[in-house]
Amino acid sequence: MPKQSIRTRKNTALAYSASISFDKRLYNHDINGSIAHANMLASVNIISKNDAKQIVSGLENIRKEIKDNVFPWNTDLEDIHMNIEDRLHGIIGETAGKLHTGRSRNDQIATDLRLYLKTEIPFINTAIRVLQQSLLSIAESNIDTLLPGYTHLQRAQPISLAHHYLAYFEMFDRDVARYRDCLKRTDILPLGSGALAGVPYNLDRNLVAQTLGFASVSKNSIDAVSDRDFIAEFQACSSICALHISRLAEELVLWSSSEFGYLSLNDAYVTGSSIMPQKRNPDYAELARAKSGRIFGNLTSILTILKGLPLAYNRDLQEDKEGLFDTIDTMIPTLEVLAGLLVTMTIRKEQMRANVADFSLLATDLADYLVSKGVPFREAHSIVVEISEYAQSSNLTLEEIDPKTYQKFSTHFPENYQGFTPETSVSSRNLTGGTAIPQIKKAISDCKARLGKVT
Ligand code: ARG
């Protein structure tokens, strides 16, 4: 190890522990928290009204300096709280020292983070709503666009494309609800907990909560300074949402391939290849699919940071922030890009229709028809296998087999038997949650109503 002076070592250690490079992002919330605290201290006569006035005006000055990019950030001052407090001394002198009465950085940072998330979650929910709007508009213009529904990525049964995209609408609807729920547990004020044991002043915590717009105050000071469940929960909500994004994105990649040929992505959402002129690579959908990886990483990170931490505050908790910021910075643009990609893509209805005409997709319907005529299901199943083999060997679709041939396989088919079409298959599934057109129309108006509600 090279020889270093103790001064150099101390500087290296300081730089290692400093969080200012990333927690400066919390400055507005930190200042709002401090203003609410100072005004409350004056209202319960712990500091004078004049002191509070000076503190508030100094803090507003600092807010402006930061906004105007002229604030003298100092890494030696570790974090956002120390940077602001030190600058306050520089601006208003001695009185600045009164601001930290009845407060610790431990309850201060917990407050900042909660305020921050309270403002960010609604932005994410708005972005999800925009994505849902895109899904809904595709659904509205594709109620009678039929394609094969898949299980095991094998063609299974005919479905409406609207029904397919409304499945994603439901997933994202649950994500909005999950984020809202997370918001409820984030909406609690920790300030007034001190370092861990509470504070020996008669603070008015409810007044601070009211000023900052918190629904309630924390009930246990030890928990309040060490709890980061709300961040873990936020990362979990984001992971589930990212997982939905990833499934949707994967399907866009697959469906826009020439093997499927169901979609054509708009030029704005594909890239070319430097050597293969024919290429239209779905890079944006691929990136949206991949972003889930870093969001899951951020969830794993916060869970691992919290696991085994003894009560109460530990500096480990400082590591909660970068992942949190990264998730927000990843989720919002991903949702926005995906929403744009969806509304601009072209749907190749003919290709979907060609694939849905596949005999095998209607096999279940045929068997169900025989069952409805009193044939035991097992027997119906083997009759359908025979018809299917016949259709394949004679290269006919189900629609092309004539009624007489049906009768050869089973006398339960009437003389004028018309057979099934993808349309009759779809329209037979006319119950809540099914793919029949009247159900989809109902689902669309229900989805519209849900989108109309405030996020
Ligand atoms: N920068 C710290 C964090 O993010 C603030 C709290 C510091 N408290 C302390 N006791 N060192 O967690």
Side-chain angles (χ1 to χ4, degrees), residues 29 32-34 36 111 115 118 189 191 207-214:
H29 304 294
N32 291 341
S34 290
T111 303
L115 281 171
K118 260 161 62 83
L189 173 76
L191 212 59
L207 174 64
V208 178
Q210 213 177 15
T211 314
L212 293 174
F214 279 103

Side-chain angles (χ1 to χ4, degrees), residues 336-347:
E336 287 172 351
V337 166
L338 206 53
L341 185 151
L342 284 169
V343 284
T344 55
M345 71 190 186
T346 308
I347 290 160

Side-chain angles (χ1 to χ4, degrees), residues 136-343:
L136 191 56
S137 71
I138 297 177
E140 278 190 281
S141 42
N142 287 283
I143 296 176
D144 54 9
T145 305
L146 303 190
L147 79 160
Y150 295 84
T151 61
H152 313 271
L153 205 58
Q154 309 282 317
R155 291 178 194 163
Q157 288 174 346
I159 54 164
S160 145
L161 182 65
H163 199 49
H164 188 88
Y165 277 120
L166 289 183
Y168 287 103
F169 184 100
E170 294 299 332
M171 296 178 219
F172 291 117
D173 221 46
R174 292 194 292 275
D175 291 330
V176 168
R178 250 186 294 272
Y179 275 123
R180 279 189 197 150
D181 214 51
C182 169
L183 196 54
K184 279 189 223 154
R185 279 175 291 277
T186 304
D187 200 7
I188 297 165
L189 173 76
L191 212 59
S193 301
L196 81 160
V199 292
Y201 300 93
N202 194 21
L203 306 184
D204 188 346
R205 297 190 66 205
N206 289 319
L207 174 64
V208 178
Q210 213 177 15
T211 314
L212 293 174
F214 279 103
S216 62
V217 301
S218 56
K219 293 183 166 61
N220 179 302
S221 59
I222 300 172
D223 179 44
V225 294
S226 55
D227 170 30
R228 294 293 184 273
D229 289 2
F230 63 101
I231 296 183
E233 200 174 338
F234 172 77
Q235 297 287 19
C237 294
S238 302
S239 293
I240 298 175
C241 183
L243 133 72
H244 294 151
I245 292 172
S246 174
R247 294 181 78 171
L248 174 55
E250 160 63 8
E251 220 170 56
L252 293 166
V253 171
L254 218 52
W255 284 16
S256 61
S257 70
S258 37
E259 270 66 22
F260 268 85
Y262 286 174
L263 306 171
S264 171
L265 303 180
N266 187 280
D267 284 352
Y269 296 100
V270 292
T271 59
S273 154
S274 43
I275 55 167
M276 297 170 282
Q278 83 283 11
K279 293 280 271 192
R280 287 172 57 78
N281 297 328
D283 293 29
Y284 297 86
E286 288 170 331
L287 285 168
R289 179 175 63 185
K291 296 289 182 192
S292 55
R294 58 198 287 170
I295 309 280
F296 298 174
N298 292 336
L299 171 63
T300 307
S301 162
I302 186 68
L303 292 175
T304 316
I305 290 163
L306 296 176
K307 179 196 159 299
L309 269 195
L311 293 176
Y313 178 85
N314 298 272
R315 190 64 177 272
D316 309 51
L317 293 179
Q318 182 170 291
E319 290 291 313
D320 58 5
K321 292 172 200 57
E322 285 160 292
L324 171 64
F325 299 154
D326 182 64
T327 291
I328 288 161
D329 293 344
T330 306
M331 287 303 289
I332 295 178
T334 302
L335 289 160
E336 287 172 351
V337 166
L338 206 53
L341 185 151
L342 284 169
V343 284

Side-chain angles (χ1 to χ4, degrees), residues 111-152:
T111 303
D112 290 7
L113 285 169
R114 285 173 183 270
L115 281 171
Y116 172 76
L117 251 193
K118 260 161 62 83
T119 53
E120 294 299 327
I121 289 176
F123 287 124
I124 295 192
N125 270 349
T126 302
I128 298 178
R129 286 308 198 201
V130 173
L131 177 60
Q132 285 181 294
Q133 185 60 61
S134 302
L135 292 163
L136 191 56
S137 71
I138 297 177
E140 278 190 281
S141 42
N142 287 283
I143 296 176
D144 54 9
T145 305
L146 303 190
L147 79 160
Y150 295 84
T151 61
H152 313 271

